[in-house]
């Protein structure tokens, strides 16, 4: 009995005109939000995501939720990474400047070691004032 059902199901799927999509759907309004400087979706950041859902009746804040703690930790890690990459970039730029200055000093030193014009050649290059 199981075999005919399997054959029937397979034949139904083969002859079905509707196909399954495996692509990611575009969020509605994503372009508009990007153009207006907002997040891609309404759940990435903002008051609905970052603020607590409730508070106690006496005004005490609610304890932070797991999602809030996770997002806070992700932001701290991102900030640390940005600071680290920025310091690496500063060190790289400083190293590049030092190499550039050293190359310029070496070039000037090489020019100073070249033979100098003497006698009549010196007078032709630099007329007396």
């Amino acid at each position: 009995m199981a075999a005919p059902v399997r054959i029937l199901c397979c034949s139904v799927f083969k002859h079905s005109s509707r196909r399954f999509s495996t692509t990611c759907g575009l969020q509605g309004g994503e372009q508009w939000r990007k153009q207006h400087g907002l997040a891609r979706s309404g759940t990435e950041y903002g008051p609905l995501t970052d603020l607590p859902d409730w508070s106690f009746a006496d005004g005490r804040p609610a304890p932070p939720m797991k999602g809030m703690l996770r997002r806070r930790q992700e932001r701290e890690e991102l900030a640390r990474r940005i600071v680290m990459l920025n310091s690496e970039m500063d060190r790289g730029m400083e190293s590049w400047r030092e190499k550039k200055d050293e190359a310029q000093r070496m070039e000037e030193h090489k020019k100073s070691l070249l033979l100098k014009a003497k006698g009549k050649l010196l007078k032709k290059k630099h007329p007396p004032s």
Side-chain angles (χ1 to χ4, degrees):
M1 185 73 178
V5 173
R6 185 179 306 150
I7 294 171
L8 178 66
C9 289
C10 292
S11 66
V12 168
F13 283 127
K14 285 181 184 177
H15 299 297
S16 175
S17 62
R18 188 172 181 168
R19 303 282 181 216
F20 290 107
S21 175
T22 58
T23 60
C24 178
L26 186 64
Q27 296 254 346
E30 181 177 343
Q31 291 292 352
W32 182 88
R33 285 192 289 270
K34 282 183 180 179
Q35 290 171 354
H36 288 83
L38 302 172
R40 288 183 306 133
S41 69
T43 60
E44 287 183 15
Y45 60 84
L48 294 178
T49 306
D50 297 333
L51 295 178
D53 293 336
W54 58 277
S55 64
F56 291 100
D58 61 359
R60 290 181 293 147
M65 300 172 83
K66 286 182 185 178
M68 291 173 67
L69 295 174
R70 179 185 45 83
R71 284 187 294 277
R72 184 181 302 159
Q73 184 179 5
E74 288 173 356
R75 289 179 186 142
E76 287 175 4
E77 290 172 4
L78 179 64
R80 283 189 189 100
R81 181 161 168 74
I82 289 170
V83 169
M84 181 201 53
L85 292 173
N86 191 25
S87 64
E88 285 182 13
M89 182 66 82
D90 291 342
R91 285 194 305 267
M93 290 298 292
E94 186 62 32
S95 172
W96 174 76
R97 280 190 206 103
E98 289 173 3
K99 287 180 183 178
K100 185 176 149 187
D101 292 343
E102 183 63 29
Q104 187 176 3
R105 282 193 296 271
M106 290 297 289
E107 187 68 29
E108 290 173 2
H109 180 67
K110 286 180 183 178
K111 284 182 181 179
S112 70
L113 294 178
L114 293 176
L115 296 175
K116 311 287 189 288
K118 296 182 180 178
K120 294 179 183 176
L121 294 175
L122 182 63
K123 289 180 182 178
K124 286 183 183 178
K125 285 187 178 179
H126 304 287
S129 301

